[in-house]
Amino acid sequence: ASVEMEESIKERIAKHPCYSEEAHHHYARMHVAVAPACNIQCNYCNRKYDCANESRPGVVSELLTPEEAAHKVLVVASKIPQMTVLGIAGPGDPLANPEKTFRTFELIADKAPDIKLCLSTNGLMLPEYIDRIKQLNIDHVTITLNTVDPEIGAQIYSWVHYKRKRYKGVEGAKILLEKQLEGLQALKEADILCKVNSVMIPGINDQHLVEVNKMIRQNGAFLHNIMPLISAPEHGTHFGLTGQRGPTSTELKTVQDNCSGNMKMMRHCRQCRADAVGLLGEDRSQEFTLSRKYYKG
Ligand code: CLF
Ligand code: SF4
């Protein structure tokens, strides 16, 4: 049975450029930026730009309505036949904009049923929406989980807005972690492949990421993507402005190597913008721009 299971997983990731290193040479993904709001505040985030958890800080994506997004997906699919995956990853948190996010997925499932659906979230609202995610046959979910220690979390998140209340520091970080782990387990139970992104922040969570890796493995994550904090001032990230640096490529590789005995590590992430189009290494987003609405609310 486990051989069969492995075969079925292989098949499910064969055309996903992020979940399969091999696939990223042949298959493309696109993102539509339909989700401007966010429900937490990461210290490295500058709200003027795309979410830094599954996208590229310092760029401002083209914000679309669900209808515009569905139209754009059909246009791109007709021009780029290798486009197999549609992701929603910002510019804020997709699950902080549930109506827009799910409406977009619905339209695409209806008009282009062959395209796989992919969702990226900070995880806070994941337990809340797991049923919608199942109903819509969303194939892949990413949770950005930077720490399993609320004390460290308090250094990364300044607040968490949950059910109409704002929680600061350790209290907020605890709620976020609880929901992330609950969400991870729910995905596992629903047999939805889950990738975890962790932003590596030297001096804050770098030494701790092996522990994060252990915890997410125990909770059923399929793939771990440790991404470097992008901290150059031109990206406008908060930590960048206050002198917090990103890791060097050697530091990043060392941490990835320290985790890699344990589970599959993603090493080909390109930190895409929230309206990315094309193969992971190429950026064709400008080619398919619909409007000039470059604004994150
Ligand atoms: Fe997009 Fe993310 Fe889905 Fe891929 S990106 S929502 S899982 S379809 Fe991929 Fe881009 Fe890295 Fe994300 S290379 S930033 S891991
Ligand atoms: Fe910014 Fe993304 Fe963090 Fe929200 S989850 S604060 S958009 S980096």
Side-chain angles (χ1 to χ4, degrees):
S2 85
V3 174
E4 269 165 39
M5 224 166 83
E6 252 174 51
E7 283 304 311
S8 114
I9 287 180
K10 254 192 215 159
E11 211 181 286
R12 283 159 70 192
I13 64 170
K15 292 185 182 177
H16 195 305
C18 305
Y19 281 68
S20 154
E21 153 99 80
E22 170 58 24
H24 97 277
H25 299 291
H26 310 289
Y27 295 100
R29 55 79 189 94
M30 79 177 277
H31 292 165
V32 284
V34 294
C38 191
N39 45 18
I40 67 175
Q41 178 64 59
C42 303
N43 284 331
Y44 47 72
C45 180
N46 181 333
R47 296 300 188 98
K48 276 194 296 197
Y49 303 124
D50 283 2
C51 173
N53 284 341
E54 175 91 28
S55 38
R56 180 146 287 270
V59 306
V60 184
S61 284
E62 182 192 35
L63 193 63
L64 302 176
T65 65
E67 286 70 22
E68 289 168 333
H71 170 74
K72 184 171 175 179
V73 171
L74 293 181
V75 171
V76 171
S78 72
K79 300 245 163 81
I80 308 179
Q82 315 93 295
M83 203 274 287
T84 46
V85 178
L86 181 272
I88 301 183
D93 186 74
L95 296 183
N97 307 259
E99 293 321 316
K100 292 176 182 145
T101 295
F102 291 122
R103 175 84 187 127
T104 305
F105 280 139
E106 253 163 36
L107 288 170
I108 290 159
D110 182 47
K111 293 182 179 161
D114 291 341
I115 293 177
K116 280 185 183 297
L117 305 178
C118 192
L119 168 74
S120 178
T121 174
N122 60 40
L124 182 65
M125 297 310 283
L126 196 48
E128 200 83 4
Y129 293 113
I130 187 75
D131 290 334
R132 285 292 284 278
I133 290 170
K134 286 196 246 175
Q135 259 168 27
L136 277 162
N137 284 326
I138 293 171
D139 296 275
H140 304 267
V141 174
T142 295
I143 305 175
T144 297
L145 197 157
N146 298 326
T147 171
V148 291
D149 177 349
E151 301 281 341
I152 297 176
Q155 293 173 260
I156 301 177
Y157 308 107
S158 50
W159 51 258
V160 167
H161 189 105
Y162 185 68
K163 305 222 161 154
R164 295 172 193 273
K165 243 190 107 175
R166 187 170 290 206
Y167 301 87
K168 290 191 171 161
V170 174
E171 206 189 355
K174 258 191 196 156
I175 295 173
L176 180 62
L177 177 62
E178 190 187 299
K179 299 296 156 196
Q180 289 171 326
L181 293 178
E182 228 177 273
L184 188 52
Q185 286 158 6
L187 290 170
K188 174 79 183 164
E189 273 160 37
D191 196 27
I192 295 170
L193 291 180
C194 180
K195 166 164 77 59
V196 168
N197 285 355
S198 301
V199 179
M200 176 177 172
I201 314 162
I204 295 188
N205 71 350
D206 50 342
Q207 300 303 316
H208 170 69
L209 286 171
V210 172
E211 221 170 298
V212 171
N213 180 265
K214 222 186 268 170
M215 179 74 102
I216 62 164
R217 185 163 33 101
Q218 283 162 2
N219 283 274
F222 173 73
L223 182 65
H224 195 189
N225 175 23
I226 297 177
M227 319 156 88
L229 170 74
I230 296 179
S231 67
E234 66 267 28
H235 292 294
T237 37
H238 177 84
F239 278 171
L241 293 177
T242 54
Q244 175 68 46
R245 66 176 181 90
T248 64
S249 52
T250 316
E251 286 169 331
L252 178 67
K253 188 176 176 301
T254 304
V255 171
Q256 287 170 335
D257 288 347
N258 287 343
C259 296
S260 66
N262 304 325
M263 71 185 290
K264 258 170 85 88
M265 302 297 294
M266 177 177 188
R267 293 173 189 257
H268 63 285
C269 176
R270 302 304 284 261
Q271 294 176 278
C272 317
R273 42 190 299 155
D275 61 0
V277 177
L279 296 172
L280 291 192
E282 62 178 12
D283 181 8
R284 298 178 65 179
S285 54
Q286 303 304 315
E287 215 177 297
F288 294 98
T289 296
L290 288 186
S291 67
R292 287 283 141 206
K293 282 191 289 180
Y294 285 96
Y295 171 72
K296 179 177 174 187

